[in-house]
Amino acid sequence: GILEKIRLCLIKKLLPHLEDRRKYHEEFASSTSFHGVHNVVHTQSKARRALWLLIVAGCLAIVIWQICSRFIYYFSWPTTTTVVVQYVENIKFPAVTFCNLNRFQAHAVSSLKEIFLIWNIVSAILQKFAMEDKYFQELNDFLLGNQNFSIKDFTRKNGFYLNSSTLLECNFFGKPCYPQDFEHVFTEYGNCFTFNHNDISARRVSLSGRGLHLLFDVQQDKFTDEPTLGYTDAGITFVIHSPQELPRFDGLGLLTPVGMHAEVAIRQLKSIIQEYPWGECKPDIKLQYHKIYSTNGCLLECKARYIQDWCGCLPFILPGNGTECDLLTFYKCVYPAVYDIEIKGLCTVGTHNSTCPAPCEETDYPTTVTYSNFGGEKAIKYFSTKLKKSPEYIR
């Protein structure tokens, strides 16, 4: 009751009478610098008053809209993109990873079409692959009868290899290079080999002249793939990437067909992305098994963690130190788990709030590839004599 009496007392003292309020309002409208209000109050014509009222209301709406739009623009954290083109004499040479499109030695898989199906299941971790139902039964029978079979050891032993018979020539800025200068790596194409890996990643070279010159013999009579599964190509696939990153062939691999000479011109494109809220990167993210952060490396480690938790083992094609998954676990747990990860969106990339946001610094190597037929008549005779092969084989 006391509070109510105080409130009523204050109202009586603070609020003037109605006539006084009207007088005050009219004085304010007449003297205010708010343009147009004076005309709304003192104009005698109703039409002119209505017109001035619309003008004042419209201007007020425009002012409010402009103020709101500026606040919205400010809190959208706008950024400015700066592109700097630098012409330099020396640059770090990237890593180059090569694979044979025919992944396995013919003698080892002549009667084992299941090997290709098994490898497709393994490589589905890196690249999506849908298997037809007609292959499930024969694959299941093979797995049950070969429980101790290791696709990793089989591929390493019977996949594509790099030696003096497959790498016919190697030249790096005028200096010879050899098969031992390449590092072995597993990809969705099986055995692949990387030149300029981490051990020599600091090598700086001149931009002028021919950089890395390679001559491969893919030996189509010794290596094969399964045409009934859609693998009908022959040649070399390669990808150019940072020496500190893993090669990624999915959508980024370049192809060199058999009997062709490919000339690849490269540029270095370095991108520095701002952190959130101006950009999408998170500078504090570190990877456990990679020296530098990349979305691809982060994605592989994310999949490895989920598969390790679900299946109790780790596929050899993923980074980590867990127990290697056997074939039955691959087939019954890992393969479904990968699709479950994709469907549920457990490992996402791109935005700052995703599992693997954009890197704050990224180096790409845009390429331009041109081709010419390999070898005229004299060149064929030269290589036929040098390699002790028939001219038909060289063609």
Side-chain angles (χ1 to χ4, degrees):
I2 296 175
L3 293 176
E4 183 65 18
K5 290 179 180 180
I6 294 174
R7 188 181 71 84
L8 293 174
C9 181
L10 291 174
I11 290 175
K12 290 178 180 180
K13 288 183 177 181
L14 294 177
L15 289 180
H17 295 293
L18 181 59
E19 293 182 0
D20 294 336
R21 290 206 301 271
R22 287 178 180 175
K23 181 180 178 181
Y24 295 153
H25 292 163
E26 186 175 352
E27 289 179 357
F28 172 79
S30 301
S31 60
T32 181
S33 60
F34 196 144
H35 299 292
V37 175
H38 175 271
N39 294 326
V40 173
V41 175
H42 290 286
T43 301
Q44 299 299 323
S45 172
K46 292 183 178 180
R48 290 175 61 85
R49 182 177 295 180
L51 179 60
W52 274 108
L53 183 62
L54 288 175
I55 293 174
V56 171
C59 292
L60 184 62
I62 292 174
V63 168
I64 294 173
W65 170 73
Q66 286 184 329
I67 293 173
C68 292
S69 68
R70 292 305 87 196
F71 271 102
I72 293 172
Y73 179 75
Y74 177 79
F75 287 108
S76 67
W77 305 99
T79 59
T80 300
T81 301
T82 302
V83 178
V84 179
V85 180
Q86 291 182 320
Y87 296 93
V88 294
E89 294 183 359
N90 295 296
I91 195 171
K92 284 186 178 181
F93 194 79
V96 187
T97 300
F98 299 88
C99 314
N100 192 343
L101 290 174
N102 289 305
R103 297 170 291 178
F104 294 98
Q105 298 175 38
H107 71 85
V109 294
S110 57
S111 60
L112 288 176
K113 184 167 66 175
E114 293 85 1
I115 297 299
F116 300 102
L117 297 173
I118 292 171
W119 186 256
N120 286 337
I121 291 176
V122 172
S123 63
I125 298 171
L126 303 176
Q127 185 178 15
K128 292 181 181 179
F129 174 81
M131 189 184 301
E132 297 182 29
D133 295 338
K134 62 181 180 180
Y135 298 120
F136 276 136
Q137 186 57 48
E138 56 182 299
L139 181 60
N140 191 57
D141 295 340
F142 179 85
L143 294 176
L144 292 175
N146 299 271
Q147 296 186 20
N148 295 325
F149 182 84
S150 172
I151 186 64
K152 177 183 178 182
D153 295 339
F154 181 88
T155 304
R156 187 69 183 261
K157 182 179 179 181
N158 298 290
F160 177 63
Y161 52 81
L162 199 67
N163 57 22
S164 58
S165 66
T166 55
L167 182 63
L168 304 181
E169 286 187 11
C170 181
N171 186 286
F172 184 69
F173 284 92
K175 295 182 179 180
C177 44
Y178 307 96
Q180 54 266 31
D181 294 321
F182 292 75
E183 185 179 70
H184 175 272
V185 60
F186 281 117
T187 74
E188 55 263 47
Y189 290 99
N191 291 336
C192 298
F193 300 89
T194 301
F195 180 81
N196 198 34
H197 49 84
N198 284 334
D199 294 339
I200 53 176
S201 61
R203 182 181 295 178
R204 301 186 72 88
V205 297
S206 172
L207 287 176
S208 61
R210 177 178 291 180
L212 179 64
H213 172 69
L214 300 171
L215 179 63
F216 284 105
D217 183 0
V218 296
Q219 301 189 12
Q220 295 182 78
D221 57 337
K222 294 183 179 181
F223 297 97
T224 187
D225 226 305
E226 183 51 55
T228 60
L229 297 178
Y231 297 98
T232 56
D233 297 337
I236 291 291
T237 179
F238 62 97
V239 64
I240 300 170
H241 57 97
S242 170
Q244 296 177 315
E245 294 183 7
L246 294 174
R248 182 184 176 187
F249 284 89
D250 183 16
L252 300 176
L254 304 172
L255 300 180
T256 301
V258 173
M260 299 291 286
H261 175 208
E263 192 82 23
V264 183
I266 63 173
R267 294 183 296 115
Q268 185 186 71
L269 178 62
K270 185 176 182 179
S271 302
I272 299 175
I273 302 171
Q274 291 180 307
E275 61 184 277
Y276 184 80
W278 298 275
E280 297 292 345
C281 88
K282 286 185 177 179
D284 56 334
I285 294 184
K286 304 294 181 183
L287 298 182
Q288 187 175 359
Y289 300 102
H290 298 86
K291 291 184 178 180
I292 63 173
Y293 175 84
S294 66
T295 52
N296 184 45
C298 175
L299 192 62
L300 294 179
E301 291 194 7
C302 177
K303 290 181 179 180
R305 288 193 299 270
Y306 279 110
I307 293 174
Q308 178 78 48
D309 293 339
W310 287 348
C311 304
C313 61
L314 188 65
F316 66 89
I317 208 166
L318 290 180
N321 298 320
T323 304
E324 182 182 337
C325 298
D326 56 39
L327 285 185
L328 278 177
T329 308
F330 250 116
Y331 181 54
K332 295 183 178 181
C333 182
V334 175
Y335 189 57
V338 171
Y339 279 87
D340 205 35
I341 292 172
E342 296 287 345
I343 292 173
K344 294 181 179 179
L346 300 178
C347 295
T348 56
V349 297
T351 60
H352 74 281
N353 57 356
S354 61
T355 312
C356 299
C360 295
E361 186 173 312
E362 188 175 32
T363 302
D364 294 320
Y365 296 90
T367 59
T368 301
V369 187
T370 55
Y371 297 98
S372 64
N373 285 327
F374 175 74
E377 289 298 325
K378 290 186 177 181
I380 289 175
K381 291 180 181 179
Y382 167 76
F383 284 108
S384 176
T385 304
K386 180 179 180 180
L387 304 177
K388 298 179 181 179
K389 299 284 186 180
S390 67
E392 290 74 19
Y393 183 88
I394 299 299
R395 288 192 182 94

